[in-house]
């Protein structure tokens, strides 16, 4: 400690790691590089290069607060965040004058936001979600303490609308908050949004809220021909899309989109940061919007259309090769999630396949190449 009265000087150097710690870090990196070669089971795209953005990591940039409102914290990337949101708003057809959103830290936060808005709008609301919904939603419902009912799924992963109709009918006095899947985690299934709207109309339920979880498919469906209804034109109130999935980012991130009128109901002004508190988190990742912005500016929408086509081609290649060795394997028409009967634990472990009971999936993200599929098939033939 400096003697009393003596001024402390600012440190001028950055301490370095001990040789032992440096070695541990190098070993960790080697492991990540090794395992990346077997990374075909999860919907994260590993094909990207954001080197020109690394310099932003030299500053404590932070997107605290609402991206549309100026704040006292000037080291932010709100301008670029708004540009990213504008692209997503166009892709998901939310009318410009009704649109609001922010870059979140992933699909889970976006889903929490959607359910939060629904509950704030309808405090007595009841959330309906299908059996095939991502596991995090159950936890979100517990955190938010909202009443909820799980609806049966069909074998292909879509919500069973007969069960939904009967269940809503029993609870007609309570506004439904529908949590719809636009691409389920295990099977890539898209809930029938037109059918859901029809049920609400048939039962004359006018007070309702619909959130769509489009974690992966929200960046696939804008680029396919004749998608089923999936965006704001289908009557959504909010939607969540992951950024590190099809777009690809080294840090988990996502986008949440919502109708501005709903968000106005929850906004609070905060003097400390001189902005509006409309997001779930306070401090927010400011480099993630740059990753997304950079991806859109360099790859472009046509580039993404090609990438989606590539993903489907590799998915079809996987299906053909796996069928040829006797596997039951399929995918939904607008999904790159390839579902198969569960292989041996050796294969699941080596290829980091996601499993659930008797099924497993691989997901042909843009980094997956045909030679990896060939090696997977060889391993399945060898180990089962
Ligand atoms: C359908 C679906 N929703 C939500 C999530 C969670 O998203 P994140 O990992 O971005 O939080 C996932 C993750 O795989 C998912 O598949």
């Amino acid at each position: 400690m400096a003697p009393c009265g003596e001024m402390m000087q600012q440190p001028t150097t950055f301490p370095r790691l001990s040789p032992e710690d440096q070695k541990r870090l190098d070993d960790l990196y080697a492991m990540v590089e090794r395992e990346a070669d077997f990374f075909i089971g999860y919907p994260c795209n590993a094909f990207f290069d954001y080197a020109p953005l690394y310099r932003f990591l030299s500053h404590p940039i932070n997107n605290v607060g609402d991206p549309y409102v100026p704040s006292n914290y000037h080291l932010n990337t709100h301008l670029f965040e708004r540009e990213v949101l504008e692209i997503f708003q166009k892709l998901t057809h939310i009318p410009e004058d009704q649109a609001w959103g922010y870059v979140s830290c992933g699909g889970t936060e976006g889903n929490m936001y959607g359910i939060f808005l629904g509950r704030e709008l309808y405090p007595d609301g009841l959330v309906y979600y299908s059996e095939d919904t991502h596991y995090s939603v159950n936890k979100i419902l517990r955190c938010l303490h909202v009443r909820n009912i799980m609806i049966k799924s069909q074998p292909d992963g879509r919500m069973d609308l007969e069960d939904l109709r009967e269940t809503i009918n029993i609870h007609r006095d309570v506004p439904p908050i529908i949590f719809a899947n636009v691409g389920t985690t295990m099977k890539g299934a898209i809930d029938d949004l037109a059918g859901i709207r029809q049920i609400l109309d048939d039962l004359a339920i006018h007070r309702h809220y619909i959130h769509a979880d489009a974690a992966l498919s929200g960046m696939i469906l804008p680029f396919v021909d004749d998608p089923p209804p999936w965006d704001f034109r289908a009557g959504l109130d909010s939607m969540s899309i992951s950024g590190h999935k099809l777009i690809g980012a080294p840090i988990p991130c996502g986008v949440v989109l919502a109708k501005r009128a709903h968000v106005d109901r929850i906004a609070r002004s905060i003097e400390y940061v001189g902005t509006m508190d409309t997001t779930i988190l306070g401090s927010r990742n400011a480099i993630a919007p740059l990753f997304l912005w950079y991806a859109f500016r360099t790859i472009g929408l046509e580039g993404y259309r090609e990438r989606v086509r590539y993903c489907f081609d590799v998915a079809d290649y996987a299906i053909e090769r796996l069928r040829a060795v006797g596997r039951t394997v399929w995918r939904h028409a607008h999904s790159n999630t390839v579902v198969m009967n569960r292989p041996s634990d050796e294969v699941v472990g080596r290829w980091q396949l996601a499993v659930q009971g008797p099924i497993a999936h691989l997901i042909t993200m843009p980094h997956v190449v045909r030679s990896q599929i060939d090696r997977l098939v060889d391993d399945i033939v060898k180990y089962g």
Side-chain angles (χ1 to χ4, degrees):
M1 198 198 275
C4 199
E6 194 175 308
M7 293 271 274
M8 277 294 288
Q9 296 299 310
Q10 184 191 37
T12 51
T13 55
F14 295 101
R16 296 291 168 203
L17 284 176
S18 67
E20 294 76 27
D21 284 343
Q22 183 61 51
K23 176 165 181 336
R24 289 189 59 209
L25 212 52
D26 293 344
D27 289 349
L28 176 67
Y29 190 73
M31 181 279 286
V32 171
E33 289 245 292
R34 212 171 40 243
E35 289 293 328
D37 191 29
F38 296 87
F39 186 55
I40 64 169
Y42 289 90
C44 297
N45 174 11
F47 188 60
F48 51 74
D49 176 12
Y50 295 110
L53 299 178
Y54 293 169
R55 61 192 159 140
F56 285 95
L57 291 173
S58 317
H59 292 280
I61 52 174
N62 189 323
N63 276 10
V64 61
D66 187 305
Y68 298 92
V69 180
S71 99
N72 291 344
Y73 196 106
H74 294 181
L75 277 61
N76 70 56
T77 63
H78 282 164
L79 177 63
F80 287 68
E81 182 176 11
R82 290 196 298 273
E83 284 187 29
V84 168
L85 294 167
E86 205 182 314
I87 296 168
F88 276 106
Q89 284 154 3
K90 289 202 171 101
L91 292 177
T92 61
H93 295 99
I94 178 166
E96 205 182 325
D97 57 337
Q98 296 177 23
W100 187 87
Y102 72 92
V103 174
S104 65
C105 53
T108 304
E109 186 188 338
N111 288 336
M112 183 170 212
Y113 198 78
I115 298 173
F116 173 53
L117 283 185
R119 192 205 61 185
E120 291 299 285
L121 228 59
Y122 300 117
D124 58 337
L126 219 166
V127 175
Y128 299 87
Y129 66 108
S130 83
E131 278 178 285
D132 276 52
T133 298
H134 189 257
Y135 67 88
S136 61
V137 173
N138 195 274
K139 179 180 54 195
I140 291 168
L141 292 166
R142 277 160 52 210
C143 290
L144 291 175
H145 208 66
V146 202
R147 279 183 69 203
N148 60 85
I149 296 181
M150 185 190 273
I151 300 297
K152 279 194 282 200
S153 290
Q154 296 175 353
D156 70 359
R158 287 180 303 151
M159 186 185 274
D160 180 332
L161 293 199
E162 274 317 301
D163 192 28
L164 180 69
R165 180 186 289 273
E166 276 171 32
T167 316
I168 294 183
N169 199 19
I170 295 168
H171 301 278
R172 281 174 73 150
D173 54 323
V174 180
I177 300 171
I178 311 280
F179 185 96
N181 284 304
V182 172
T184 58
T185 304
M186 275 311 286
K187 297 176 183 164
I190 301 168
D191 288 341
D192 177 359
L193 285 170
I196 291 172
R197 286 297 302 269
Q198 190 61 53
I199 291 172
L200 299 172
D201 286 351
D202 292 349
L203 299 177
I205 293 177
H206 304 301
R207 295 169 71 233
H208 55 71
Y209 187 97
I210 307 179
H211 172 80
D213 176 3
L216 170 60
S217 298
M219 263 303 287
I220 293 179
L221 297 172
F223 307 111
V224 303
D225 297 330
D226 299 325
W230 69 279
D231 59 22
F232 283 88
R233 290 172 297 183
L236 299 182
D237 294 284
S238 55
M239 174 185 272
S240 168
I241 303 174
S242 293
H244 55 285
K245 293 204 165 97
L246 202 112
I247 297 174
I251 294 174
C253 56
V255 163
V256 50
L257 305 164
K259 298 254 179 86
R260 184 174 276 281
H262 301 334
V263 178
D264 288 345
R265 310 243 329 216
I266 59 126
R268 304 268 185 283
S269 168
I270 306 293
E271 187 183 9
Y272 174 61
V273 276
T275 185
M276 297 301 285
D277 186 22
T278 40
T279 55
I280 288 191
L281 301 182
S283 285
R284 291 192 300 113
N285 186 331
I287 196 160
L290 295 187
F291 293 142
L292 304 181
W293 179 87
Y294 187 88
F296 279 121
R297 300 298 291 181
T298 51
I299 297 164
L301 297 184
E302 264 321 297
Y304 275 109
R305 188 177 296 280
E306 276 169 28
R307 283 182 187 208
V308 166
R309 265 208 311 267
Y310 172 80
C311 293
F312 288 174
D313 279 357
V314 179
D316 288 337
Y317 180 74
I319 290 173
E320 192 188 308
R321 293 277 351 249
L322 287 161
R323 275 201 188 134
V325 296
R327 290 268 136 186
T328 303
V329 53
W330 59 277
R331 73 172 175 99
H332 277 288
H334 299 304
S335 169
N336 58 342
T337 300
V338 176
V339 186
M340 64 177 136
N341 50 341
R342 184 178 180 141
S344 63
D345 289 349
E346 282 92 339
V347 171
V348 167
R350 173 174 297 184
W351 290 95
Q352 304 169 52
L353 300 184
V355 288
Q356 193 173 69
I359 61 165
H361 74 208
L362 64 102
I363 307 192
T364 54
M365 297 302 284
H367 65 273
V368 176
V369 292
R370 288 176 175 78
S371 59
Q372 285 173 306
I373 304 295
D374 294 339
R375 283 160 50 213
L376 167 76
V377 172
D378 289 348
D379 280 348
I380 287 184
V381 168
K382 193 162 163 195
Y383 300 110

